[in-house]
Amino acid sequence: FKIINRTVPAALKTLGYDEAAVDAIIRYAVGHGSLRGAPFINLESLRQKGFNEGTLQTLEQALASAFDIRFAFNRWTFGDEFCTRVLGFTAAELGDVAFDMLAALGFTKDQIEAANTHCCGAMTLEGAPGLKDEHLPVFDCANPCGRLGQRFLSTEAHIRMMAASQPFISGAISKTINMPNNATVEACKDAYMLSWRLGLKANALYRDGSKLSQPLSTQLLDDSDLVEELIDASAAGRAAVLAERIVERVVERVVERRTAERRRPPQRRKGYTQKATVGGHKVYLRTGEYEDGSLAEIFIDLHKEGSAFRSLMNNFAIAISIGLQYGVPLEEFVESFTFTRFEPSGMVEGNDAIKMATSMLDYIFRELAISYLSRHDLAHAEPQDLQPDTVGRGEKESDLALSRDEALGPVARVASNGFVRGNLPKLQLISGSRPGGNGAATAVLAQASAAVAVTGAAAGTAAHALHGDAASAVAVSTAIVESVDSRLSQIREARLKGYEGDACGECGNFTLVRNGTCLKCDTCGATSGCS
């Protein structure tokens, strides 16, 4: 109001308007603060509705500071006795927050808007009496003004005004570049490009309605936008159109208050237990999962720790579990608690992927991230590094590899996602039917097959198996799988301990370590060629 009452009159006089024209324009914008002389709703029409001089005087005092005349027509302005005895409203109507007293008195929406503009002002100069259209650009603002305003400064206008000032300013300009609600990504790109071409040091774009908590917004719904859609619609059709438009505006412009609902895990649930030692302190991590395999809860148990610390960790696990069940993404917890630094910390033993942790929480959320989010970037040993053949599959073979769900089938419904970490069962790994099988596993399979074949030939059972004896065939397959499984377990265990994973040619132990370009056995001291 101060800007309109001081700056606008000076601008209007500069444009050649006289005192009477300036006063009429200002009154249109800020209103008269009274219903005297207002169209449709005025002191005379209100007297006919039963208002007396006392209530009209009280109303005029309330209208002097009202933003909208509807706010002045309420039970607190006139009192419950006058509203019920004279105006005839019920207590239920007066207690309803959506009750519109002016509409209940018989005034139409257009009549209310006309009287509202007279009393409280249009809050814009658009449509002001006597103001020429060619002078409207002088008074354009960053956003449409008031309930009736349509004009606003374009994005280019903001940028070019800033560019005119930038050469005289050493730093950047703290100025928001307002964009309409229908602005596109392409429009944002063009704004950045124009700012760069004009040499601006900063660019702060804001699209109207993109922030749910923005304090200024246009009215929720304007029926003039719906005229064409509602002309031929039935009553039910009008309700559907209005409901759809209201939902769109509410989502875009009104602060959304959502009450989260807790999603409880099933009574009998999947999960896994991971035992590890962090800096010499044992910690047991237990997880619980939903039916779809996503994480639902965690339990943390410590060994030989004080009761206070154990209780704190136990309640911390409960807090994390409740957060997960109320919809907090696991990613948020991982980002918040990984790399936290406090004791106990240091070497991690017993976990195949994590070797160091800066704190107990760092270890716990690294483990959860690896198991449930496939965040192998937080691991110190990737899954393929623990396989007998770390060369990996080629790109074409990887494309042909079976997905986890296809490989596990019904097992996926009962197996813990965190436990398997997306890996396929060992039988799938060594199966010849799976494309892209592991090279070392295939070699071991060949050796085991040969050994079993020789043994079977000596006993005379292999030929019988080849001729259709199903029991013998199953026995041979079981022996092959057990032989391969045992050797793969030895290789994996050796890699977890820091060895290369190959067997010593002298003693047969999987204790070979790198010795220059060769290998040396820690058990017998033999080397693969170097002295």
Side-chain angles (χ1 to χ4, degrees), residues 163-499:
S165 304
Q166 185 67 82
F168 306 98
I169 302 174
S170 59
I173 303 173
S174 179
K175 164 72 177 70
T176 301
I177 300 174
N178 298 84
M179 305 185 76
N181 180 261
N182 59 358
T184 62
V185 176
E186 191 70 20
C188 295
K189 185 194 77 171
D190 294 340
Y192 280 113
M193 290 299 296
L194 179 60
S195 300
W196 171 70
R197 292 192 185 97
L198 296 178
L200 288 182
K201 295 184 178 181
N203 184 328
L205 296 181
Y206 181 75
R207 182 180 65 83
D208 180 40
S210 61
K211 188 176 182 181
L212 291 177
S213 59
Q214 74 176 49
L216 298 177
S217 62
T218 57
Q219 66 185 85
L220 183 62
L221 187 64
D222 184 3
D223 285 346
S224 63
D225 297 336
L226 304 176
V227 173
E228 295 182 0
E229 298 181 45
L230 299 178
I231 288 178
D232 299 325
S234 61
R238 293 191 191 100
V241 172
L242 287 172
E244 181 181 357
R245 293 294 295 272
I246 290 175
V247 169
E248 292 176 358
R249 297 291 180 88
V250 167
V251 171
E252 291 177 358
R253 301 180 182 276
V254 180
V255 178
E256 242 180 350
R257 297 185 180 272
R258 295 181 178 175
T259 303
E261 295 183 0
R262 186 174 182 180
R263 178 190 176 195
R264 296 183 181 273
Q267 296 296 327
R268 188 178 182 90
R269 63 204 66 162
K270 303 178 294 181
Y272 73 94
T273 301
Q274 172 70 58
K275 174 187 175 183
T277 303
V278 180
H281 297 256
K282 287 184 181 179
V283 56
Y284 295 84
L285 175 63
R286 171 68 188 173
T287 67
E289 301 175 3
Y290 292 112
E291 296 88 339
D292 58 1
S294 58
L295 182 63
E297 62 184 359
I298 64 172
F299 300 91
I300 303 173
D301 191 16
L302 304 177
H303 182 61
K304 293 183 178 180
E305 304 294 342
S307 59
F309 186 59
R310 293 174 65 180
S311 298
L312 285 174
M313 293 300 293
N314 184 33
N315 285 275
F316 175 78
I318 294 175
I320 296 298
S321 302
I322 293 176
L324 291 170
Q325 293 171 19
Y326 272 101
V328 179
L330 177 59
E331 293 89 341
E332 294 296 328
F333 288 124
V334 171
E335 295 299 327
S336 298
F337 294 110
T338 51
F339 302 105
T340 53
R341 187 176 299 275
F342 58 86
E343 295 296 330
S345 63
M347 298 288 294
V348 176
E349 300 177 7
N351 194 295
D352 59 352
I354 305 171
K355 304 304 177 186
M356 289 287 295
T358 58
S359 66
M360 193 75 74
L361 296 187
D362 177 58
Y363 159 73
I364 290 172
F365 286 96
R366 281 177 184 265
E367 166 63 28
L368 295 176
I370 296 168
S371 299
Y372 290 98
L373 302 178
S374 299
R375 286 285 302 274
H376 297 293
D377 56 304
L378 296 175
H380 301 103
E382 296 187 3
Q384 56 266 29
D385 294 336
L386 302 176
Q387 299 297 335
D389 185 358
T390 59
V391 175
R393 299 191 299 269
E395 182 177 352
K396 293 183 179 179
E397 292 180 346
S398 297
D399 294 338
L400 294 175
L402 296 176
S403 67
R404 176 181 178 277
D405 292 338
E406 292 173 345
L408 292 178
V411 180
R413 293 195 295 269
V414 295
S416 167
N417 280 2
F419 180 78
V420 300
R421 289 184 176 175
N423 296 328
L424 299 178
K426 294 177 181 178
L427 185 59
Q428 290 287 342
L429 176 66
I430 64 175
S431 174
S433 63
R434 178 189 170 191
N438 187 279
T442 304
V444 174
L445 177 61
Q447 295 175 7
S449 300
V452 173
V454 171
T455 304
T461 59
H464 187 60
L466 293 175
H467 283 82
D469 191 336
S472 298
V474 170
V476 171
S477 299
T478 302
I480 294 173
V481 171
E482 291 178 352
S483 175
V484 173
D485 192 28
S486 175
R487 187 171 180 85
L488 291 180
S489 297
Q490 290 177 307
I491 295 174
R492 183 180 180 85
E493 182 179 0
R495 287 185 176 274
L496 287 174
K497 293 180 178 179
Y499 295 111

Side-chain angles (χ1 to χ4, degrees), residues 76-115:
W76 296 280
T77 302
F78 306 118
D80 289 351
E81 183 180 356
F82 175 80
C83 293
T84 56
R85 184 174 56 84
V86 179
L87 299 182
F89 300 127
T90 64
E93 290 176 326
L94 296 177
D96 187 0
V97 294
F99 177 63
D100 188 344
M101 185 177 292
L102 286 174
L105 288 173
F107 296 107
T108 65
K109 179 180 178 180
D110 292 337
Q111 292 174 341
I112 296 173
E113 288 299 326

Side-chain angles (χ1 to χ4, degrees), residues 147-161:
R147 301 179 298 274
L148 307 176
Q150 300 292 330
R151 299 177 57 89
F152 59 91
L153 291 173
S154 65
T155 303
E156 183 177 353
H158 285 275
I159 296 175
R160 293 194 177 277
M161 282 190 289

